[in-house]
Amino acid sequence: MQQLLNKYWAYLRIERQVSPYTLTNYQHQLNTVLKILQQNDIQCWQQITPSIVRFVLAQSKKEGLKEKSLALRLSAFRQFLNYLVQQNEIKVNPATGISSPKQAKHLPKNIDSEQIQQLLANDSKEPIDIRDRAMLELMYSSGLRLSELNSLNLNSINTRVRELRVIGKGNKERILPFGRYASKAIQDWLKVRQLFNPKDDALFVSQLGNRLSNRSIQKRMETWGIRQGLTNHLNPHKLRHSFATHMLESSSDLRAVQELLGHSSLSTTQIYTHLDFQHLAQVYDSAHPRAKRKK
């Protein structure tokens, strides 16, 4: 069994040219799998069945492995078994069809409305600051994904009717409204955009005139958050999450928020736009006939 593992390490290192970090990770996971198998009298890889794969996961969980690490172990095991199929050592991969353990979804903390006001309270006349403020205002105003903000062109936006056309996941187009603060910020940016000598019709461009990359937008937002004294790390996803949370808290219209975010499934919106318990309790107390309290 160890001999086939050694061949696999060579395959990963030479043919796949994986990084040393990835190779070390795979070796750790599969050496542990081998140890579990040998402790339970499994003498060759041909003995592995779907039940044994599940047993390995159960033993790993019993030893305290968390969901994320279990998923990594299963992935490493499955890929090694795929290699054995390619080498005609086994006929089928017994790990095919075995699902990874469900992992808890950790949502980013949203920025409260007071912090949003603090974040956007900057009247700098520097062209680069005018651009960055327009990006922030628009992302928070319309709940854009980073990729959607990055791909905006001049003809994507209509400041007169305050509407925005974006192409979201699955190449699906949607029309979004944006507020008057975002409209003013964009108009201010359009007045100075030519100073950057734009090379195409991208709405937001770098100082070299190129469309801003996702990474550049992330770094600019992070820098802006620090400058404005935000206590939490600022990133585009956090702004989108804050938009969704504030919209849902104010309107309680889950279906409308789903449309604005461009989610194909309502269940995604329910997870993404969680509300804190205090707000839910307030809604419950004010809305449920048997919950209303006497004043």
Side-chain angles (χ1 to χ4, degrees), residues 149-161:
L149 182 76
N150 162 271
S151 62
L152 289 176
N153 294 322
L154 292 173
N155 63 2
S156 303
I157 196 157
N158 186 328
T159 54
R160 184 177 58 82
V161 294

Side-chain angles (χ1 to χ4, degrees), residues 56-79:
V56 168
L57 293 177
Q59 286 296 108
S60 301
K61 187 173 183 179
K62 193 180 293 185
E63 292 169 9
L65 220 60
K66 300 299 180 186
E67 284 77 8
K68 188 174 182 180
S69 298
L70 283 170
L72 178 63
R73 182 160 298 174
L74 175 60
S75 175
F77 197 7
R78 183 186 288 124
Q79 290 188 54

